[in-house]
Amino acid sequence: MISSSLKRFSAAALTTSVLAAALAGCAPAPSDSDGTTAAAATPTPSVPVEGEEGPALDMEAAILEREEFLDAQQQPRDGSLLSAKTPEQQEFIAQQRAYLESQGATWAPETESLLLATTLDACETAILNNHRTDADIFAMHVNSSPIFAQVTQGDAAAEQGLASIMVFGMSFVCPSDAEQWDAAYTEVYG
């Protein structure tokens, strides 16, 4: 269940000092030539593969949807810090901030930016995969994400904590994808 994602987070797994150290060296997400943020996971091919179920991915439609999604999120695309702009983002950040502070963590603008970037990146990956996500796509997203690599630095508990927050954030920002990502989270992390 999505609401249980918040409870899975362990403050010890993603301490403020780990966040601060990781954010200090954080580079902007890779960008396409047009300045848009590139997806962390490579979408599956647009040509149907023999034996696969479901329709082929429509990449042209997915790219258009991604652009519309990113525009609607009202976030800068220049690598500057993100802050909650939409009511959905604001609710996600308010709940996450309250939870982290209740666990003794100190909130900072960099924390807000990190959690929004992680969530928006997952929503973007979901869009580019035509809203079809399974454990393999989830794992590929996490394992190829520069955000996860820099923040978790190979720490499995920190990775799981950040993935939990990411899925929780999706329940606000891209709720139609959150259930699949929550199921994939459970399959990957148990």
Side-chain angles (χ1 to χ4, degrees), residues 13-14 17-26 145-159 162:
L14 193 60
S17 60
V18 170
L19 272 175
L23 289 170
C26 222
S145 169
I147 298 170
F148 273 86
Q150 290 181 4
V151 171
T152 67
Q153 300 179 9
D155 182 304
E159 176 187 298
L162 185 56

Side-chain angles (χ1 to χ4, degrees), residues 26-40:
C26 222
S31 296
D32 292 337
S33 60
D34 65 357
T36 61
T37 304

Side-chain angles (χ1 to χ4, degrees), residues 31-175:
S31 296
D32 292 337
S33 60
D34 65 357
T36 61
T37 304
T42 303
T44 54
S46 60
V47 177
V49 176
E50 189 174 322
E52 271 192 16
E53 293 183 26
L57 297 181
D58 182 351
M59 288 312 299
E60 190 172 316
I63 290 169
L64 179 61
E65 182 183 350
R66 174 187 73 168
E67 289 307 308
E68 291 170 355
F69 171 78
L70 292 174
D71 289 345
Q73 297 311 305
Q74 306 170 29
Q75 295 297 333
R77 298 188 195 188
D78 62 0
S80 57
L81 288 178
L82 308 182
S83 62
K85 304 264 192 283
T86 68
E88 297 81 9
Q89 293 170 10
Q90 292 167 350
E91 183 61 27
F92 161 52
I93 291 301
Q95 287 191 30
Q96 196 59 55
R97 180 178 183 164
Y99 180 77
L100 288 174
E101 288 178 342
S102 77
Q103 300 300 305
T106 302
W107 192 260
E110 294 83 5
T111 305
E112 182 170 334
S113 184
L114 167 72
L115 299 183
L116 284 168
T118 304
T119 298
L120 293 169
D121 193 41
C123 293
E124 185 178 1
T125 296
I127 291 167
L128 291 174
N129 280 287
N130 287 128
H131 306 282
R132 295 190 324 225
T133 301
D134 59 18
D136 291 336
I137 290 172
F138 181 95
M140 180 174 36
H141 174 79
V142 169
N143 293 330
S144 66
S145 169
I147 298 170
F148 273 86
Q150 290 181 4
V151 171
T152 67
Q153 300 179 9
D155 182 304
E159 176 187 298
Q160 185 175 355
L162 185 56
S164 177
I165 294 170
M166 172 185 74
V167 172
F168 180 68
M170 291 176 78
S171 70
F172 295 91
V173 179
C174 53

